[in-house]
Amino acid sequence: MHTVVRSFSGKGAKELFDLLEKNKPDVEKTLRSVKGLVSYTLVRSADGGFSVTVCNDKAGTDESIQKARDWIAKNAASTGVAAPKVTEGSVVLHVK
């Protein structure tokens, strides 16, 4: 499995997470369409938030990054949020 964490902070990050929360059904639909999706978690933090996406392979996390980027461009460009800090890697342990 492969995981990607996308962290948003600074200008527009709180506004982005307000929009994501208001549009949870659409966000969920978008992420559920990712091939090989294992799990997706969206977390609000003090300075914005982050997402954690786990997929069967790197191709899935790459697809999730693109779908998230497209969703933000289409629905949240007005927030002015900067590109996220992206951290990714192979899963060592996944507990359900």
Side-chain angles (χ1 to χ4, degrees):
M1 287 189 291
H2 200 80
T3 298
V4 63
V5 178
R6 297 167 35 92
S7 302
F8 294 87
S9 61
K11 180 181 181 280
K14 289 181 181 181
E15 292 81 2
L16 170 63
F17 275 76
D18 289 343
L19 277 172
L20 290 167
E21 189 168 8
K22 287 179 187 174
N23 292 282
K24 283 191 287 188
D26 188 41
V27 174
E28 181 176 343
K29 179 182 174 188
T30 299
L31 271 295
R32 282 195 183 277
S33 71
V34 171
K35 292 179 186 136
L37 179 72
V38 174
S39 65
Y40 177 77
T41 304
L42 194 57
V43 180
R44 186 184 293 273
S45 64
D47 61 346
F50 60 94
S51 66
V52 180
T53 308
V54 180
C55 293
N56 288 328
D57 55 26
K58 186 173 180 343
T61 56
D62 288 347
E63 181 184 351
S64 77
I65 289 169
Q66 186 60 52
K67 285 185 183 259
R69 184 181 298 131
D70 292 347
W71 192 95
I72 290 170
K74 179 181 175 186
N75 300 287
S78 64
T79 64
V81 69
K85 176 184 177 204
V86 177
T87 306
E88 63 179 302
S90 297
V91 174
V92 174
L93 175 65
H94 182 78
V95 179
K96 287 186 174 185

